[in-house]
PDB file of all heavy atoms in Angstrom:
ATOM      1  N   GLN A   3       0.662   5.746  -0.033  1.00 98.00           N
ATOM      2  CA  GLN A   3      -0.152   6.939   0.158  1.00 98.00           C
ATOM      3  C   GLN A   3       0.549   8.118  -0.489  1.00 98.00           C
ATOM      4  O   GLN A   3       1.771   8.233  -0.403  1.00 98.00           O
ATOM      5  CB  GLN A   3      -0.338   7.248   1.642  1.00 98.00           C
ATOM      6  CG  GLN A   3      -1.134   6.231   2.393  1.00 98.00           C
ATOM      7  CD  GLN A   3      -1.423   6.715   3.801  1.00 98.00           C
ATOM      8  OE1 GLN A   3      -2.142   7.697   3.980  1.00 98.00           O
ATOM      9  NE2 GLN A   3      -0.869   6.030   4.781  1.00 98.00           N
ATOM     10  N   HIS A   4      -0.243   8.974  -1.103  1.00 98.00           N
ATOM     11  CA  HIS A   4       0.268  10.204  -1.701  1.00 98.00           C
ATOM     12  C   HIS A   4      -0.704  11.323  -1.348  1.00 98.00           C
ATOM     13  O   HIS A   4      -1.918  11.113  -1.359  1.00 98.00           O
ATOM     14  CB  HIS A   4       0.358  10.080  -3.225  1.00 98.00           C
ATOM     15  CG  HIS A   4       1.248   8.971  -3.681  1.00 98.00           C
ATOM     16  ND1 HIS A   4       2.593   9.128  -3.859  1.00 98.00           N
ATOM     17  CD2 HIS A   4       0.978   7.669  -3.969  1.00 98.00           C
ATOM     18  CE1 HIS A   4       3.124   7.981  -4.257  1.00 98.00           C
ATOM     19  NE2 HIS A   4       2.157   7.082  -4.330  1.00 98.00           N
ATOM     20  N   THR A   5      -0.162  12.498  -1.050  1.00 98.00           N
ATOM     21  CA  THR A   5      -1.008  13.657  -0.764  1.00 98.00           C
ATOM     22  C   THR A   5      -0.451  14.891  -1.446  1.00 98.00           C
ATOM     23  O   THR A   5       0.756  14.990  -1.710  1.00 98.00           O
ATOM     24  CB  THR A   5      -1.120  13.943   0.750  1.00 98.00           C
ATOM     25  OG1 THR A   5       0.179  14.253   1.254  1.00 98.00           O
ATOM     26  CG2 THR A   5      -1.713  12.775   1.503  1.00 98.00           C
ATOM     27  N   THR A   6      -1.346  15.814  -1.718  1.00 98.00           N
ATOM     28  CA  THR A   6      -0.965  17.132  -2.222  1.00 98.00           C
ATOM     29  C   THR A   6      -2.108  18.085  -1.931  1.00 98.00           C
ATOM     30  O   THR A   6      -3.214  17.660  -1.585  1.00 98.00           O
ATOM     31  CB  THR A   6      -0.654  17.097  -3.740  1.00 98.00           C
ATOM     32  OG1 THR A   6       0.023  18.299  -4.107  1.00 98.00           O
ATOM     33  CG2 THR A   6      -1.914  16.943  -4.577  1.00 98.00           C
ATOM     34  N   THR A   7      -1.834  19.355  -2.082  1.00 98.00           N
ATOM     35  CA  THR A   7      -2.872  20.377  -1.979  1.00 98.00           C
ATOM     36  C   THR A   7      -2.861  21.192  -3.259  1.00 98.00           C
ATOM     37  O   THR A   7      -1.813  21.711  -3.662  1.00 98.00           O
ATOM     38  CB  THR A   7      -2.643  21.296  -0.760  1.00 98.00           C
ATOM     39  OG1 THR A   7      -2.641  20.497   0.423  1.00 98.00           O
ATOM     40  CG2 THR A   7      -3.740  22.351  -0.669  1.00 98.00           C
ATOM     41  N   LEU A   8      -4.013  21.266  -3.910  1.00 98.00           N
ATOM     42  CA  LEU A   8      -4.177  22.087  -5.105  1.00 98.00           C
ATOM     43  C   LEU A   8      -4.911  23.360  -4.709  1.00 98.00           C
ATOM     44  O   LEU A   8      -5.804  23.334  -3.853  1.00 98.00           O
ATOM     45  CB  LEU A   8      -4.987  21.349  -6.166  1.00 98.00           C
ATOM     46  CG  LEU A   8      -4.447  20.000  -6.646  1.00 98.00           C
ATOM     47  CD1 LEU A   8      -5.389  19.400  -7.690  1.00 98.00           C
ATOM     48  CD2 LEU A   8      -3.049  20.143  -7.208  1.00 98.00           C
ATOM     49  N   THR A   9      -4.558  24.460  -5.333  1.00 98.00           N
ATOM     50  CA  THR A   9      -5.224  25.733  -5.080  1.00 98.00           C
ATOM     51  C   THR A   9      -5.922  26.191  -6.348  1.00 98.00           C
ATOM     52  O   THR A   9      -5.336  26.173  -7.433  1.00 98.00           O
ATOM     53  CB  THR A   9      -4.206  26.790  -4.607  1.00 98.00           C
ATOM     54  OG1 THR A   9      -3.579  26.320  -3.414  1.00 98.00           O
ATOM     55  CG2 THR A   9      -4.893  28.121  -4.330  1.00 98.00           C
ATOM     56  N   PHE A  10      -7.170  26.573  -6.188  1.00 98.00           N
ATOM     57  CA  PHE A  10      -7.983  27.056  -7.300  1.00 98.00           C
ATOM     58  C   PHE A  10      -8.473  28.462  -6.975  1.00 98.00           C
ATOM     59  O   PHE A  10      -8.906  28.726  -5.852  1.00 98.00           O
ATOM     60  CB  PHE A  10      -9.192  26.147  -7.543  1.00 98.00           C
ATOM     61  CG  PHE A  10      -8.812  24.757  -7.956  1.00 98.00           C
ATOM     62  CD1 PHE A  10      -8.669  23.757  -7.001  1.00 98.00           C
ATOM     63  CD2 PHE A  10      -8.586  24.452  -9.283  1.00 98.00           C
ATOM     64  CE1 PHE A  10      -8.315  22.473  -7.372  1.00 98.00           C
ATOM     65  CE2 PHE A  10      -8.221  23.176  -9.667  1.00 98.00           C
ATOM     66  CZ  PHE A  10      -8.083  22.178  -8.712  1.00 98.00           C
ATOM     67  N   THR A  11      -8.426  29.349  -7.943  1.00 98.00           N
ATOM     68  CA  THR A  11      -8.967  30.691  -7.789  1.00 98.00           C
ATOM     69  C   THR A  11     -10.305  30.728  -8.513  1.00 98.00           C
ATOM     70  O   THR A  11     -10.363  30.513  -9.719  1.00 98.00           O
ATOM     71  CB  THR A  11      -8.009  31.744  -8.367  1.00 98.00           C
ATOM     72  OG1 THR A  11      -6.755  31.623  -7.696  1.00 98.00           O
ATOM     73  CG2 THR A  11      -8.567  33.147  -8.176  1.00 98.00           C
ATOM     74  N   THR A  12     -11.364  30.980  -7.744  1.00 98.00           N
ATOM     75  CA  THR A  12     -12.696  31.018  -8.344  1.00 98.00           C
ATOM     76  C   THR A  12     -12.996  32.431  -8.853  1.00 98.00           C
ATOM     77  O   THR A  12     -12.349  33.401  -8.446  1.00 98.00           O
ATOM     78  CB  THR A  12     -13.771  30.596  -7.330  1.00 98.00           C
ATOM     79  OG1 THR A  12     -13.830  31.565  -6.281  1.00 98.00           O
ATOM     80  CG2 THR A  12     -13.470  29.216  -6.761  1.00 98.00           C
ATOM     81  N   ARG A  13     -13.989  32.534  -9.717  1.00 97.00           N
ATOM     82  CA  ARG A  13     -14.398  33.830 -10.263  1.00 97.00           C
ATOM     83  C   ARG A  13     -15.643  34.358  -9.564  1.00 97.00           C
ATOM     84  O   ARG A  13     -16.235  35.322 -10.014  1.00 97.00           O
ATOM     85  CB  ARG A  13     -14.665  33.691 -11.757  1.00 97.00           C
ATOM     86  CG  ARG A  13     -13.439  33.331 -12.566  1.00 97.00           C
ATOM     87  CD  ARG A  13     -13.752  33.279 -14.046  1.00 97.00           C
ATOM     88  NE  ARG A  13     -14.882  32.415 -14.324  1.00 97.00           N
ATOM     89  CZ  ARG A  13     -14.814  31.222 -14.867  1.00 97.00           C
ATOM     90  NH1 ARG A  13     -13.656  30.730 -15.215  1.00 97.00           N
ATOM     91  NH2 ARG A  13     -15.893  30.513 -15.080  1.00 97.00           N
ATOM     92  N   GLY A  14     -16.034  33.709  -8.501  1.00 97.00           N
ATOM     93  CA  GLY A  14     -17.275  34.067  -7.825  1.00 97.00           C
ATOM     94  C   GLY A  14     -18.257  32.923  -7.986  1.00 97.00           C
ATOM     95  O   GLY A  14     -17.928  31.852  -8.501  1.00 97.00           O
ATOM     96  N   ARG A  15     -19.459  33.143  -7.520  1.00 97.00           N
ATOM     97  CA  ARG A  15     -20.466  32.089  -7.464  1.00 97.00           C
ATOM     98  C   ARG A  15     -20.581  31.318  -8.779  1.00 97.00           C
ATOM     99  O   ARG A  15     -20.680  31.906  -9.850  1.00 97.00           O
ATOM    100  CB  ARG A  15     -21.809  32.706  -7.114  1.00 97.00           C
ATOM    101  CG  ARG A  15     -22.883  31.663  -6.893  1.00 97.00           C
ATOM    102  CD  ARG A  15     -24.131  32.278  -6.333  1.00 97.00           C
ATOM    103  NE  ARG A  15     -23.922  32.564  -4.917  1.00 97.00           N
ATOM    104  CZ  ARG A  15     -24.688  33.381  -4.215  1.00 97.00           C
ATOM    105  NH1 ARG A  15     -25.681  34.013  -4.782  1.00 97.00           N
ATOM    106  NH2 ARG A  15     -24.444  33.578  -2.937  1.00 97.00           N
ATOM    107  N   GLY A  16     -20.549  29.993  -8.634  1.00 97.00           N
ATOM    108  CA  GLY A  16     -20.698  29.129  -9.797  1.00 97.00           C
ATOM    109  C   GLY A  16     -19.803  27.910  -9.694  1.00 97.00           C
ATOM    110  O   GLY A  16     -18.984  27.779  -8.785  1.00 97.00           O
ATOM    111  N   LEU A  17     -19.973  27.013 -10.654  1.00 97.00           N
ATOM    112  CA  LEU A  17     -19.222  25.761 -10.695  1.00 97.00           C
ATOM    113  C   LEU A  17     -18.009  25.892 -11.607  1.00 97.00           C
ATOM    114  O   LEU A  17     -18.105  26.444 -12.701  1.00 97.00           O
ATOM    115  CB  LEU A  17     -20.123  24.631 -11.205  1.00 97.00           C
ATOM    116  CG  LEU A  17     -21.207  24.209 -10.227  1.00 97.00           C
ATOM    117  CD1 LEU A  17     -22.573  24.480 -10.813  1.00 97.00           C
ATOM    118  CD2 LEU A  17     -21.063  22.767  -9.870  1.00 97.00           C
ATOM    119  N   SER A  18     -16.889  25.359 -11.139  1.00 97.00           N
ATOM    120  CA  SER A  18     -15.654  25.316 -11.928  1.00 97.00           C
ATOM    121  C   SER A  18     -15.208  23.862 -12.006  1.00 97.00           C
ATOM    122  O   SER A  18     -14.994  23.214 -10.967  1.00 97.00           O
ATOM    123  CB  SER A  18     -14.552  26.130 -11.255  1.00 97.00           C
ATOM    124  OG  SER A  18     -14.920  27.469 -11.100  1.00 97.00           O
ATOM    125  N   GLU A  19     -15.052  23.371 -13.218  1.00 98.00           N
ATOM    126  CA  GLU A  19     -14.614  21.977 -13.345  1.00 98.00           C
ATOM    127  C   GLU A  19     -13.144  21.860 -12.973  1.00 98.00           C
ATOM    128  O   GLU A  19     -12.298  22.613 -13.464  1.00 98.00           O
ATOM    129  CB  GLU A  19     -14.849  21.419 -14.747  1.00 98.00           C
ATOM    130  CG  GLU A  19     -14.547  19.929 -14.786  1.00 98.00           C
ATOM    131  CD  GLU A  19     -15.023  19.201 -16.030  1.00 98.00           C
ATOM    132  OE1 GLU A  19     -15.459  19.865 -16.990  1.00 98.00           O
ATOM    133  OE2 GLU A  19     -14.944  17.962 -16.032  1.00 98.00           O
ATOM    134  N   ILE A  20     -12.850  20.900 -12.100  1.00 98.00           N
ATOM    135  CA  ILE A  20     -11.482  20.673 -11.631  1.00 98.00           C
ATOM    136  C   ILE A  20     -10.973  19.285 -12.024  1.00 98.00           C
ATOM    137  O   ILE A  20      -9.886  18.889 -11.614  1.00 98.00           O
ATOM    138  CB  ILE A  20     -11.393  20.869 -10.104  1.00 98.00           C
ATOM    139  CG1 ILE A  20     -12.324  19.906  -9.365  1.00 98.00           C
ATOM    140  CG2 ILE A  20     -11.683  22.324  -9.739  1.00 98.00           C
ATOM    141  CD1 ILE A  20     -12.149  19.908  -7.852  1.00 98.00           C
TER     142      ILE A  20
END
Side-chain angles (χ1 to χ4, degrees):
Q3 294 188 66
H4 301 273
T5 62
T6 194
T7 301
L8 302 179
T9 301
F10 296 93
T11 302
T12 66
R13 296 183 307 254
R15 186 171 284 163
L17 289 117
S18 300
E19 187 167 9
I20 59 172

